[in-house]
Amino acid sequence: NAGVTQTPKFRILKIGQSMTLQCTQDMNHNYMYWYRQDPGMGLKLIYYSVGAGITDKGEVPNGYNVSRSTTEDFPLRLELAAPSQTSVYFCASSYMPSGTTDTQYFGPGTRLTVL
Amino acid sequence: DQQVKQNSPSLSVQEGRISILNCDYTNSMFDYFLWYKKYPAEGPTFLISISSIKDKNEDGRFTVFLNKSAKHLSLHIVPSQPGDSAVYFCAARDYSGAGSYQLTFGKGTKLSVIP
């Protein structure tokens, strides 16, 4: 099992550009999540999905979009990049709702800089 | 409004001694608490969790204590090892509706174990 994979690892965008951060998991997990981590801060939930075709907003969804057409993939789309979106983005997945003994498994992250 | 607070950004401990990492929370609806460990350039990995109906959970060198009346939890690592040097995030789970749960993360505490 590769677990949770994210591409790209690093990206520099210009203001106003768009991009898609890719996330794939091979554990057949129902639940998937996107977080961002700003320097010196904890992780904040952007969007999550409880299964294919179902997504919902987290704490900081503005400026992002997601889709979940398959169980494995959960891409995050930035339409008009802004400097405030400079951050490290983590994708995670879990079999059950987060918490308990079934935890969230995280990808290695994508470091995004918007100039 | 931070619902999960880790007030110590960093902690240094001698190898072999005890490391104590603290976490406070404000939301009494949290039902599970988790600790994640994060090395540089990697995603967080699950360490240990505790249900809100318990006051202690132990797993090898790691023990988490929960004081519900004080809304405080702590992670004890005994004995501390250089490989424990990482950023530790406290996270708390609450129900977000439609059968889904969300995790709220603290800002993290960077632990350095000195050989």
Side-chain angles (χ1 to χ4, degrees):
Chain A
N1 278 356
V4 180
T5 56
Q6 292 182 239
T7 57
K9 284 191 169 60
F10 304 93
R11 184 72 184 266
I12 298 175
L13 282 182
K14 293 183 179 177
I15 294 171
Q17 285 186 318
S18 62
M19 78 164 293
T20 299
L21 283 68
Q22 302 291 346
C23 175
T24 300
Q25 53 92 9
D26 62 0
M27 297 173 281
N28 202 30
H29 285 170
N30 292 322
Y31 296 80
M32 295 188 75
Y33 313 83
W34 274 107
Y35 293 91
R36 60 178 285 174
Q37 186 192 11
D38 299 332
M41 303 295 287
L43 283 76
K44 291 191 183 294
L45 183 65
I46 306 171
Y47 269 95
Y48 66 97
S49 169
V50 302
I54 307 170
T55 63
D56 208 346
K57 295 177 181 179
E59 185 182 353
V60 289
N62 291 344
Y64 307 94
N65 278 302
V66 293
S67 59
R68 184 96 181 269
S69 56
T70 66
T71 300
E72 296 78 20
D73 301 306
F74 190 40
L76 177 72
R77 178 89 179 153
L78 283 72
E79 289 295 349
L80 289 169
S84 61
Q85 293 178 305
T86 294
S87 191
V88 181
Y89 291 82
F90 291 102
C91 179
S93 72
S94 63
Y95 181 66
M96 294 290 287
S98 56
T100 72
T101 56
D102 180 77
T103 182
Q104 292 184 15
Y105 295 85
F106 284 81
T110 293
R111 185 176 294 273
L112 176 67
T113 302
V114 182
L115 301 173
Chain B
D1 177 28
Q2 267 189 283
Q3 296 189 66
V4 178
K5 297 178 185 178
Q6 293 177 258
N7 292 320
S8 298
S10 62
L11 174 69
S12 288
V13 170
Q14 209 71 27
E15 181 179 2
R17 306 293 291 267
I18 184 171
S19 295
I20 300 176
L21 294 91
N22 293 305
C23 179
D24 297 295
Y25 64 95
T26 58
N27 186 348
S28 57
M29 300 303 291
F30 289 140
D31 67 344
Y32 259 91
F33 302 89
L34 304 91
W35 286 93
Y36 281 82
K37 176 178 174 180
K38 185 183 178 305
Y39 292 117
E42 294 183 12
T45 55
F46 172 73
L47 193 56
I48 191 169
S49 66
I50 187 167
S51 163
S52 61
I53 62 172
K54 296 192 175 181
D55 54 20
K56 178 182 174 181
N57 188 27
E58 192 171 351
D59 183 3
R61 297 186 296 115
F62 303 92
T63 303
V64 57
F65 296 92
L66 176 62
N67 182 334
K68 207 172 170 184
S69 61
K71 292 191 173 71
H72 176 83
L73 63 154
S74 60
L75 173 68
H76 292 213
I77 307 173
V78 183
S80 302
Q81 299 173 354
D84 296 329
S85 297
V87 176
Y88 290 78
F89 290 100
C90 172
R93 184 185 95 154
D94 68 338
Y95 185 63
S96 56
S100 183
Y101 295 82
Q102 290 188 24
L103 293 182
T104 301
F105 286 81
K107 291 184 179 181
T109 296
K110 183 176 181 180
L111 173 66
S112 300
V113 180
I114 304 159

